[in-house]
Amino acid sequence: MEKEIHQLNKAGTTFRTIIEPFKIKTVEPLWMTTAEERQKILKDVHYNVFLIQAQDVIIDLLTDSGTSAMSSEQWAGVMRGDEAYAGSRSYQRFEAVVHEIFGFKHIIPTHQGRAAERILFSVMCKEGDIVPNNTHFDTTRANVEFRGARAVDLLIDEGKDTQSKYPFKGNMDPEKLKALIDKEGAKKIPLCMITVTNNSSGGQPVSMTNIRAVKKILDEYGIPLYLDACRFAENAYFIKLREDGYEKKSVEEIVKEMMNYADGCTMSAKKDGLTNIGGFLCTNDDILAQQERDLLIISEGFPTYGGLAGRDLEAIAIGLKEVLHEDYLLYRLAETQYLGEHLDEIGFPIVQPPGGHAIYIDAKTMLPHIPGSQYPGQALVVELYQVGGIRAVEIGSIMFGKVDEDTGEEIPAEMELVRLAIPRRVYTQSHIDYVIEACKRVWENRDALRGYKIVEQAKFLRHFTAKFEPV
Ligand SMILES: *Cc1c(COP(=O)(O)O)cnc(C)c1O
């Protein structure tokens, strides 16, 4: 990892220290809590960190979605927002920027990424269809399945090995894709998606070679390719750093090439749009675009605002330009890598190598004395909050565990991970150093951690509201 930091460094500056490429103009206070206060808070929320008030969290690493800090330019854009119902200037600016960066013909704004997904699959899929993806993000999978289609993940094998340091662990397996098409028939596959970076598989990047290879196969069968582009800029910068032939290309050029292989994309501006809300859907197909706009009008809004205010469109247009600044991307990937590198040094088993937006700790390996039925990830999440007021999220049996319909027994998830997601432009290095110090204390005390049991849960998406008790 050290080597990669060095590589990152070479790309930007000759200094060892990679500084935040921004200075602070507006501040939002953090409210400190004591260990005693946090103990009481945990008890009050039945040990479910989703139920903790944000003000009671010191460092919030729950998600990188919609948590970005906007720039002074974006806030100026908010003031400039044109709130005309139809044909606003803010839409025109938004449309022009998305067109310039992504290159697609039709650009349809939506209130966030999942709305773009719902519209896309409603128009393109029918019952019994199949949608392949490197790894479906959970809302993507839910929207495919809601349409009655089947969501199939075709991740490469290296991507499933938490310790493999393969540089593009987010890739789709072209062999598996070909086998799927040959088995099911191209008629059943209305589109194929690639998620960049591969969020559900650790924020790992996808290589240009892989996108090209997938596109080549799809072309043979006349299947369109769509990108789930939420972290398109982070992915492009990984390509610049790791893929032969791209060192000298600008991130903008790399993004253009990525998009050039695709027939359209879905996007959540809450990620690499550097805004707090928003999304869009793009396509080059005139007929699909018409159908998508028809659906947009009855559910999201008129095609020139699609569920967003003019000021949101303005902020997205500016954010999409800012996210391509290579100083920003260097800092962004280095910050995540810095956290990962230090946790690795302490001894934490983390998913290797660090992805773009988050570090994942393997709680099953870290806490072998806590069985899956007692949620080792939950034990770690609670301890991180207790020790440092840090909020992380369990991605394991609480989120993905299933109940066996015959026996009523719970089937644990394959992996018990804890994700530390890093909001964009929000925390400085000293915040991350604080997280590392708190993690070190958690690590030293790991043998004393105890498991949890669920005492109350909802039927769906139980992780948001479940109540727990220590075992
Ligand atoms: C966040 C996300 C989505 C959904 O976007 P929302 O804006 O949260 O609706 C889809 N795909 C990926 C890869 C994401 O990370």
Side-chain angles (χ1 to χ4, degrees), residues 65 111-115 117 137 139-140 195-197 199-200 228 230-231 266-271 278:
S65 176
H111 80 279
Q112 57 183 88
R114 65 197 70 185
E117 292 169 346
F137 180 65
T139 62
T140 321
T195 306
V196 291
T197 57
N199 183 2
S200 299
D228 179 339
C230 297
R231 294 176 184 76
T266 55
M267 173 72 190
S268 168
K270 300 174 74 171
K271 320 305 176 24

Side-chain angles (χ1 to χ4, degrees), residues 16-276:
R16 175 72 185 80
T17 309
I18 296 164
I19 62 170
E20 290 82 9
F22 47 81
K23 53 188 178 174
I24 294 163
K25 183 171 241 160
T26 306
V27 298
E28 185 182 342
L30 292 177
W31 305 97
M32 298 301 168
T33 47
T34 63
E36 290 71 39
E37 286 165 341
R38 292 194 291 271
Q39 194 167 18
K40 181 174 181 305
I41 290 165
L42 280 168
K43 216 158 169 256
D44 291 345
V45 300
H46 306 278
Y47 303 93
N48 187 335
V49 295
F50 282 103
L51 304 178
I52 298 175
Q53 302 299 319
Q55 188 176 312
D56 293 329
V57 176
I58 298 177
I59 306 285
D60 205 343
L61 306 182
L62 193 59
T63 177
D64 67 320
S65 176
T67 51
S68 304
M70 293 215 296
S71 67
S72 48
E73 274 308 308
Q74 285 177 295
W75 282 110
V78 166
M79 281 308 294
R80 236 183 359 250
D82 176 358
E83 305 302 343
Y85 190 95
S88 80
R89 274 170 299 153
S90 294
Y91 173 75
Q92 288 161 21
R93 278 191 281 268
F94 161 83
E95 208 257 354
V97 168
V98 178
H99 184 73
E100 178 196 332
I101 297 171
F102 289 72
F104 298 113
K105 192 167 170 199
H106 300 282
I107 292 147
I108 297 168
T110 59
H111 80 279
Q112 57 183 88
R114 65 197 70 185
E117 292 169 346
R118 183 180 55 80
I119 291 170
L120 175 71
F121 301 131
S122 299
V123 168
M124 291 194 80
C125 297
K126 59 182 191 311
E127 215 157 300
D129 280 347
I130 295 169
V131 180
N133 202 320
N134 42 353
T135 313
H136 283 85
F137 180 65
D138 51 14
T139 62
T140 321
R141 171 176 291 278
N143 274 297
V144 169
E145 290 174 352
F146 189 69
R147 191 71 189 88
R150 189 148 62 90
V152 178
D153 293 341
L154 303 176
L155 186 68
I156 54 165
D157 292 336
E158 289 90 337
K160 294 176 190 165
D161 172 1
T162 59
Q163 297 312 299
S164 159
K165 291 200 176 174
Y166 188 72
F168 292 102
K169 283 173 80 175
N171 282 355
M172 175 180 278
D173 189 329
E175 296 298 317
K176 289 183 197 162
L177 175 65
K178 205 160 172 3
L180 179 79
I181 302 171
D182 287 338
K183 176 161 174 265
E184 302 287 350
K187 277 211 171 65
K188 272 179 114 174
I189 305 175
L191 77 163
C192 172
M193 291 194 89
I194 295 182
T195 306
V196 291
T197 57
N198 191 335
N199 183 2
S200 299
S201 166
Q204 299 290 335
V206 176
S207 71
M208 195 73 85
T209 308
N210 188 245
I211 299 175
R212 207 181 292 127
V214 167
K215 176 66 177 167
K216 187 158 174 281
I217 293 171
L218 296 174
D219 274 350
E220 286 168 29
Y221 297 92
I223 299 169
L225 172 65
Y226 277 69
L227 295 185
D228 179 339
C230 297
R231 294 176 184 76
F232 72 99
E234 291 173 10
N235 199 87
Y237 201 64
F238 273 120
I239 288 177
K240 184 181 171 100
L241 291 171
R242 295 183 180 173
E243 194 161 350
D244 287 344
Y246 289 92
E247 310 84 344
K248 297 220 165 60
K249 294 221 155 102
S250 72
V251 166
E252 245 164 287
E253 284 173 308
I254 296 171
V255 169
K256 279 225 166 66
E257 186 180 340
M258 282 163 56
M259 299 299 159
N260 205 21
Y261 295 121
D263 300 278
C265 76
T266 55
M267 173 72 190
S268 168
K270 300 174 74 171
K271 320 305 176 24
D272 274 353
L274 296 178
T275 56
N276 307 116

Side-chain angles (χ1 to χ4, degrees), residues 457-462:
Q457 60 179 305
K459 201 157 175 220
F460 298 106
L461 299 175
R462 62 179 180 174

